[in-house]
Amino acid sequence: MKISIERGALLKAVSQAQSVVERRNTIPILANVLIEAEGSDVHFRATDLDIEVVDRAPAQVERAGATTVSAVTLHEIVRKLPDGALVTLTDDGASGRLSVEAGRSHFNLATLPKEDFPVMASSEYSSNFSAPAPVLRRLFDKSKFAISTEETRYYLNGVYMHVSESDGGKVLRCVATDGHRLARIDADLPNGAADMPGVIVPRKTVGELRKLLDDDDTQIAVSVSETKVRFATPDITLTSKVIDGTFPDYTRVIPQGNTRRLEVDAAEFAKAVDRVATVSSERSRAVKLTLEEDKLTLSVNAPDSGAAEEELAVAYGDERLEIGFNAKYLLEIASQVDRENAVFLFNSSGDPTLMREGNDTSAVYVVMPMRV
Amino acid sequence: MPALCRSCLHDFAEGARCPDCGSPRVVSHPELFSLSIAHMDCDAFYASVEKREDPSLASKPLIIGGGRRGVVSTACYIARIRGVRSAMPMFQALKLCPDAVVLPPRMKPYAEVSKQIRAMMDELTPDVEPLSLDEAFMDLSGTARLHGRPPAVMLARLVRRMKDELGLTGSIGLSHNKFLAKIASDLDKPMGFSVIGEAETASFLHDKPVRMIWGVGQAMQAQLEKAGIHRFSDLLRWEKADLHARFGSMGDRLWHLARGEDHRRVSANAPVKSISNETTFHEDTSDPDLLDGHIWRLAENVSDRAKARGLAGRVVTLKLKRANHTQLTRRQSLRDATQLADSIYRTARALFDAIGQQGPYRLIGVGISELIPEDQADRSADLLDPQAARRSGAERASDAIRARFGPEAIVKGRALR
């Protein structure tokens, strides 16, 4: 194999590969990226056995072929090369070394046989559709903060992507929860997605997927089966196993009858929460919200370290209510609001609270209060 | 060389017998009257208490421990002569000593006696750090002027008083730090009084095996032996950085201990770091129903102790020992610390389920750690488990019932498994 490739294109391809590779590996070949050169393209393939990413980059292929080298080392080298450099990768097949040349730099990297590289078995996808990058970006960005890290409830370690109904119409919906808060985000159902099976997309896959979604104009080809999900741009294909488990029935968790309505400027609210939480010494910083007519008082009382209080002008017309929350959870849901005011709907100080942006029900958040 | 008679507490300059009362129970050491860190360890404590309560046991070999498959928790000195040791499996102990009387431990009277001993120690110094019911560290630095006699004398008086007033014997280790004091108390049991001075520390440790270190168990010992470390002299050959690289923070400690250095203070209120409980089965088992019952009872016990101390844990740990003595431990951090038996049980049970079929097991344990005050725990409910609030209410209610009518007044069906 012998190829020449521009440093920028190579860096982009290799950085996606190396982020999939697990840092601590017991199987050496999994630390490597498979480089396959054919025609006018070179493919970089990396896997952790749960996720596989394939990047295509244009290159001058002098001699077709394939080999594998350490993804992290190759990435480090390419990252340190000067911008605009032309990089030549040569593998003569016999020496067990890949030569990397750029300008006056020359590296020899140990390789492992391409035959040892585990290629994810291809599968039949029961549903194929296409969605604009910004739509998927919103679905996952606004839900991923609520993904659980608790391993005993592994079925919560991802975002549940499925088809659901809202206001009589079908929607593509992403839900994540860790039992303390929940995010439910809807988007118009793309053509061809109606029969999609619901899948739990693992946390790591959500992180990798995010890198495909930066460009507003890209259409993402999405393929879903009961066991796998695939997201593809013209250059990058990300295939992932989905979490083998049943996502809990979240619909009964979302409060329907909360009537005490608070409307507040989300940015002002978040800043105030952040300020008063500063004095709290505990790990789960509890903030107390006291609601009175058109007035919200945020307070923290930490016997060991001090107390703080701040008042906000808000729209609230119901009875007085005192309710406590973990400051971090409040900040996280408040930061999801970007266009309108945040609307909170409370019931009592022991019941889950609902938050949404204005009257938009396509993104709702639920957060559990805590005793203060 | 300064010497002290342990019978009449007379101190004198030289000699194998007390010039005053003629007793041979003399301890002499160049640093005898300058050392002040002590470790007191009662001799065969549980067995001695039982023998005191029932004089007919006095001349019989007595083993305190539980069940057919349990282990010896204490053996009296008569049984020890026959080779019975604590932590030995009961069947083995009974093979060595078939005529032994076996009694289950009764923590209540032991705790009461322990309190009396503690009161005596408190008269010597405010710095008493109990390790368990029957042993404690004491720092008597600076007490000589208060008592008018050096620490060694006061310690000898303490064990004499324990014998006279409580009918129990104990052994004293006197040295310049906790590590060595603990080793010393074990050198001359029972009714011992051993001293390790600063001058002899290096030569004393040199040939001693590293398993002497408190905290070096079978597993650690195996690791050390793999590295060619058997004795303290082997440790001295290692650089601090190398020990650290190989054994982590324990490596740092080993480096210091190898030099007889231990800077830990004797602290009266050592904070509780974890609360745990474990049980060894009569027969190895992998029956999930049976194990489930154990998990519940252990969780309830841990919860009771946490509630009694006003503490809650942020981490729940499950420990399983297989038939071949290999051990599995799993831990789960909680978002919201807990002291509730229900949450401890559910978390431990989830950890147990995640392990899958790896039994049969001989031991199971449940614990909580990363403890915090209870007012910062169990503060938020679980969205996905709306029944949790009802269960925790039920638990608080049954706690109230048990507080009023006794621990057996109300139990879960699960506890009967």
Side-chain angles (χ1 to χ4, degrees), chain B residues 243-262:
Chain B
L243 277 175
H244 181 86
R246 183 137 183 172
F247 303 107
S249 60
M250 186 67 189
D252 293 334
R253 214 171 123 60
L254 288 172
W255 189 87
H256 286 289
L257 294 183
R259 286 152 185 79
E261 297 167 10
D262 178 9

Side-chain angles (χ1 to χ4, degrees), chain A residues 50 81 86 96 118 120 139 143 145 149 160 183 203 206 213 238 243 246 284 296 312 315-316 319 334 341 358 369:
Chain A
D50 289 326
L81 289 175
L86 187 70
M120 199 176 265
L139 283 172
S143 56
F145 73 90
T149 51
Y160 181 42
R203 168 190 289 277
V206 173
L213 304 177
L238 175 71
I243 293 174
T246 308
S284 51
L296 166 64
L312 282 174
Y316 181 75
E319 282 171 44
N341 284 339

Side-chain angles (χ1 to χ4, degrees), chain A residues 228-240:
Chain A
K228 276 185 198 155
V229 59
R230 167 174 287 181
F231 300 93
T233 70
D235 289 333
I236 308 174
T237 305
L238 175 71
T239 311
S240 167

Side-chain angles (χ1 to χ4, degrees), chain A residues 6-8 11 77-87 102-105 107:
Chain A
E6 195 271 322
R7 181 252 182 195
L11 181 63
I77 290 172
V78 177
R79 192 174 61 81
K80 290 170 185 170
L81 289 175
D83 205 13
L86 187 70
V87 187
R104 293 185 184 182
S105 311
F107 308 84

Side-chain angles (χ1 to χ4, degrees), chain B residues 272-276 302 312-317 331-332 337-338 367-372:
Chain B
V272 189
K273 286 199 177 136
S274 66
I275 300 174
S276 65
V302 167
R314 223 194 290 276
V315 172
V316 173
T317 313
R331 46 186 275 138
Q332 172 72 54
T338 191
I368 55 173
S369 52
E370 290 193 27
L371 305 178
I372 58 164

Side-chain angles (χ1 to χ4, degrees), chain A residues 216-248:
Chain A
D216 279 356
D217 299 330
T218 317
Q219 283 286 323
I220 310 291
V222 185
S223 307
V224 185
S225 76
E226 297 278 349
T227 56
K228 276 185 198 155
V229 59
R230 167 174 287 181
F231 300 93
T233 70
D235 289 333
I236 308 174
T237 305
L238 175 71
T239 311
S240 167
K241 292 183 186 163
V242 297
I243 293 174
D244 183 12
T246 308
F247 200 81

